[in-house]
Amino acid sequence: MNDFLTNDINIEIIKYIQTFSNSFLDKFAEGITMMGEQYFFIMIIAIIFWCVDKKFGYRLGFTLISSMVINGAIKEILKVPRIFGTEGIRSLRINTATGYSFPSGHTQGVATFWMSIISNVKKKYIYFLGSIIVILVAVSRIYLGVHRPIDVIGGIVISLIWVLVCNIIFNYLDNGGNKLILFSIIVPMLIGLFMFKTHDYYTISGVTLGFFVGYNIESQYIKFNEKTSMIINIFKFLVGVSIVLIIMKGLKLVFPKYLLFDFIRYCIIGIWMTSGAPYLFKKIGFA
């Protein structure tokens, strides 16, 4: 399997794409690839959940973060090595290229995000915009020398399948289905904690569990109103995201450096985004 995923044609394609390299394209690719990173997703999901449509924000957020759990599991199972150090290939922005190579996490994340939006919003301009961004991020990962073409293709295919699965699940829930169906995702994810002992898997699993727990708390007990004025929405975003960063960075300084505490820290972030922040907004009269 690994021979297929690391064959020479992948290397030759990367080398060909990198023949077009220049300083402008380097910066452009680095900027584009940031749209597949966690801070971008946190900000966009926060805006949608807190300020636009919390029901869709939850569907989008849960689909995205559970997709990344799958990405982390597949990486740990297949253990496809990165191409760093391959003769004739230069690799840029490698600090954000963590773990194994297949499938591409950036590509799978951005493809899951936009395909979920496309399949639910169903507007032609969204379809066009999302498709262009997915293609650009995928190509940027190859151009930057951090992924093979097969890595980004794998990420896109997995995201397509997962968005379809999650749409079926959430459509079922929207029609009055039993919420326990989400345990079919949560339970295997938690079992994976005993198998895939990496920082990436523990953090994304923590967010997923926190998102699940927090949204159930919010939908039963808080029931905040996300549709408010532009000024209030800006305030909600600034306060909410600031506290996300405080939890992310502050607790990292306080907690011991063990995977379990990485899991707990990101679980708190998920709970804050889905119930803590909504509770605060409602309490101060902004929701």
Side-chain angles (χ1 to χ4, degrees), residues 3-75:
D3 290 340
F4 170 73
L5 296 174
T6 60
N7 59 30
D8 289 343
I9 190 171
N10 284 281
I11 303 303
E12 293 306 314
I13 292 172
I14 299 169
K15 288 181 178 179
Y16 174 74
I17 290 176
Q18 289 193 341
T19 61
F20 299 96
S21 297
N22 58 54
S23 58
F24 170 77
L25 287 179
D26 288 353
K27 295 299 182 184
F28 180 74
E30 290 188 31
I32 288 295
T33 209
M34 290 174 68
M35 289 193 290
E37 296 175 4
Q38 67 172 342
Y39 293 107
F40 174 81
F41 292 134
I42 286 173
M43 288 190 294
I44 299 300
I45 291 172
I47 289 171
I48 295 173
F49 189 85
W50 295 336
C51 308
V52 181
D53 185 336
K54 65 180 179 182
K55 192 173 183 180
F56 176 62
Y58 180 65
R59 177 191 284 236
L60 175 62
F62 191 87
T63 301
L64 172 63
I65 56 181
S66 58
S67 175
M68 301 317 296
V69 169
I70 293 171
N71 180 272
I74 294 174
K75 282 185 174 182

Side-chain angles (χ1 to χ4, degrees), residues 24 41 56 62 69 71 81 91 99 107 112 126 149 192 205 212 214 259 264:
F24 170 77
F41 292 134
F56 176 62
F62 191 87
V69 169
N71 180 272
S91 298
T107 308
T112 302
I126 293 291
S205 295
F212 172 73
L259 288 176
I264 293 171

Side-chain angles (χ1 to χ4, degrees), residues 243-255 265:
I243 295 178
V244 167
L245 295 176
I246 290 171
I247 295 170
M248 186 182 296
K249 302 298 184 181
L251 291 185
K252 186 177 182 179
L253 298 175
V254 176
F255 282 177
R265 181 161 52 98

Side-chain angles (χ1 to χ4, degrees), residues 4-240:
F4 170 73
L5 296 174
T6 60
N7 59 30
D8 289 343
I9 190 171
N10 284 281
I11 303 303
E12 293 306 314
I13 292 172
I14 299 169
K15 288 181 178 179
Y16 174 74
I17 290 176
Q18 289 193 341
T19 61
F20 299 96
S21 297
N22 58 54
S23 58
F24 170 77
L25 287 179
D26 288 353
K27 295 299 182 184
F28 180 74
E30 290 188 31
I32 288 295
T33 209
M34 290 174 68
M35 289 193 290
E37 296 175 4
Q38 67 172 342
Y39 293 107
F40 174 81
F41 292 134
I42 286 173
M43 288 190 294
I44 299 300
I45 291 172
I47 289 171
I48 295 173
F49 189 85
W50 295 336
C51 308
V52 181
D53 185 336
K54 65 180 179 182
K55 192 173 183 180
F56 176 62
Y58 180 65
R59 177 191 284 236
L60 175 62
F62 191 87
T63 301
L64 172 63
I65 56 181
S66 58
S67 175
M68 301 317 296
V69 169
I70 293 171
N71 180 272
I74 294 174
K75 282 185 174 182
E76 289 301 309
I77 290 170
L78 296 180
K79 297 185 184 299
V80 178
R82 294 276 182 173
I83 55 174
F84 303 155
T86 300
E87 185 177 354
I89 292 179
R90 64 190 193 117
S91 298
L92 304 176
R93 199 173 172 79
I94 60 175
N95 60 307
T96 62
T98 57
Y100 292 103
S101 191
F102 181 91
S104 166
H106 281 67
T107 308
Q108 185 174 327
V110 78
T112 302
F113 178 83
W114 281 103
M115 288 173 188
S116 185
I117 292 177
I118 288 168
S119 63
N120 286 281
V121 176
K122 298 178 180 177
K123 299 286 186 181
K124 287 184 179 179
Y125 75 92
I126 293 291
Y127 178 86
F128 177 77
L129 176 64
S131 298
I132 293 298
I133 291 175
V134 171
I135 292 169
L136 286 174
V137 171
V139 173
S140 77
R141 303 308 287 166
I142 301 170
Y143 175 91
L144 292 171
V146 291
H147 277 295
R148 303 170 182 83
I150 193 67
D151 299 338
V152 301
I153 292 170
I156 291 171
V157 170
I158 293 166
S159 68
L160 275 169
I161 295 170
W162 191 241
V163 168
L164 176 62
V165 170
C166 284
N167 279 343
I168 291 172
I169 290 174
F170 280 97
N171 288 341
Y172 165 78
L173 291 173
D174 288 345
N175 291 319
N178 194 323
K179 290 184 179 180
L180 291 177
I181 192 174
L182 291 177
F183 279 101
S184 64
I185 298 172
I186 296 296
V187 172
M189 178 196 77
L190 294 177
I191 293 173
L193 294 172
F194 297 96
M195 303 168 59
F196 312 123
K197 296 188 176 183
T198 67
H199 170 79
D200 288 348
Y201 187 86
Y202 268 63
T203 54
I204 199 65
S205 295
V207 174
T208 306
L209 181 63
F211 222 73
F212 172 73
V213 171
Y215 185 70
N216 278 282
I217 293 172
E218 193 286 324
S219 60
Q220 292 185 50
Y221 304 109
I222 301 172
K223 301 178 181 179
F224 87 112
N225 176 23
E226 71 276 26
K227 295 177 173 62
T228 51
S229 70
M230 178 66 74
I231 297 298
I232 291 177
N233 280 338
I234 292 172
F235 173 83
K236 289 192 295 185
F237 173 77
L238 292 176
V239 172

